């Protein structure tokens, strides 16, 4: 009489008795599930479990993307804060008030004469530094640093004075009179 495939594999030494018993047990289990009609339920449960697993994996990926975005925003904010703090121009004798507009409010910053001149000519910029969410301070920085900050975050508040020297209207009655640079209002 011919031997079964399982007996032939055992005789050849390709499988051992434990693997043979495990395979036979699995076959009996599958046969039983098919006879009782529970095989379809098992397939449905597997399909549902697979769908839940895929949905969870997609949510995890979305959450990871969100966390990465938040981490990048925090890193950019830290870079901007460091750029401001290391390159801020401090005025030794801050006795002159420089006024600028922040939103709908006119703000003021006390600086010395040299900084005031460079601010009014558009050679320096003023930037808002957020100490905490409800409080911000203003710092004077060079234009190159202001451009680096703009590259990192377009929405950051930066004030650069417009240089209007030499631009006169044609029909201006006071065109012959130059406004002195040191005129204070």
């Amino acid at each position: 009489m011919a031997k079964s495939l399982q007996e032939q594999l055992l005789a050849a030494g390709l499988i051992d008795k434990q693997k043979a018993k495990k395979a036979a047990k699995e076959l009996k289990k599958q046969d039983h599930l098919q006879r009782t009609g529970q095989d379809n339920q098992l397939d449905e449960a597997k399909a549902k479990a697979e769908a839940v697993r895929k949905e969870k994996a997609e949510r995890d990926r979305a959450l990871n993307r969100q966390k990465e975005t938040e981490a990048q925003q925090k890193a950019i904010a830290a870079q901007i804060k460091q750029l401001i703090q290391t390159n801020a121009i401090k005025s030794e004798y801050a006795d002159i008030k420089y006024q600028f507009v922040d939103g709908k409010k006119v703000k003021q910053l006390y600086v010395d004469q040299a900084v005031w001149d460079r601010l009014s000519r558009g050679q320096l910029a003023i930037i808002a530094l957020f100490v905490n969410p409800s409080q911000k301070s203003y710092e004077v920085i060079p234009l190159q640093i202001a451009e680096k900050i703009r590259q990192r975050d377009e929405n950051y508040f930066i004030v650069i004075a417009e240089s209007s020297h030499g631009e006169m209207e044609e029909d201006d009655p006071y065109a012959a009179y130059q406004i002195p640079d040191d005129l204070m209002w």
Side-chain angles (χ1 to χ4, degrees):
M1 182 187 268
K3 293 183 180 180
S4 69
L5 178 62
Q6 189 176 28
E7 291 171 352
Q8 291 174 9
L9 290 174
L10 273 172
L14 296 175
I15 61 170
D16 57 0
K17 287 186 179 184
Q18 280 185 331
K19 287 185 182 179
K21 285 183 181 179
K22 189 174 184 180
K25 187 175 181 180
E26 187 65 33
L27 279 174
K28 286 182 183 179
K29 186 176 179 181
Q30 288 294 333
D31 187 38
H32 176 70
L33 289 175
Q34 280 183 343
R35 279 187 281 122
T36 59
Q38 293 176 353
D39 192 27
N40 292 338
Q41 292 174 354
L42 187 63
D43 289 342
E44 289 174 12
K46 283 182 181 179
K48 285 180 184 179
E50 183 67 22
V52 168
R53 187 188 63 76
K54 285 182 181 179
E55 184 179 315
K56 184 181 181 309
E58 184 60 36
R59 276 185 296 175
D60 289 346
R61 280 193 290 275
L63 185 61
N64 284 341
R65 282 192 298 267
Q66 181 182 359
K67 285 182 181 180
E68 286 175 8
T69 304
E70 289 174 1
Q72 287 176 345
Q73 289 173 347
K74 284 183 182 181
I76 288 171
Q79 287 175 358
I80 290 173
K81 188 173 183 179
Q82 183 180 13
L83 278 171
I84 294 170
Q85 289 175 344
T86 57
N87 296 300
I89 297 173
K90 302 292 181 194
S91 298
E92 280 189 41
Y93 305 107
D95 54 351
I96 300 173
K97 184 182 353 177
Y98 184 83
Q99 295 180 337
F100 59 95
V101 178
D102 181 3
K104 294 183 179 182
K105 296 183 179 181
V106 175
K107 298 289 185 173
Q108 58 192 14
L109 186 66
Y110 285 94
V111 294
D112 59 15
Q113 184 65 43
V115 173
W116 188 89
D117 289 340
R118 291 179 66 195
L119 277 170
S120 63
R121 281 189 246 128
Q123 295 174 345
L124 293 176
I126 297 175
I127 191 161
L129 176 64
F130 294 94
V131 179
N132 59 40
S134 64
Q135 181 185 5
K136 59 182 170 180
S137 66
Y138 298 96
E139 297 290 338
V140 178
I141 58 171
L143 284 179
Q144 298 87 357
I145 304 302
E147 283 305 313
K148 286 182 181 180
I149 292 171
R150 250 200 201 123
Q151 289 172 358
R152 286 170 174 76
D153 188 0
E154 286 284 328
N155 300 324
Y156 221 79
F157 175 74
I158 299 174
V159 175
I160 301 173
E162 296 177 9
S163 178
S164 62
H165 295 283
E167 298 175 14
M168 297 286 178
E169 293 183 23
E170 293 176 14
D171 55 341
D172 187 10
Y174 298 104
Y177 303 103
Q178 291 292 324
I179 300 172
D181 289 339
D182 61 345
L183 180 66
M184 303 273 297
W185 297 92

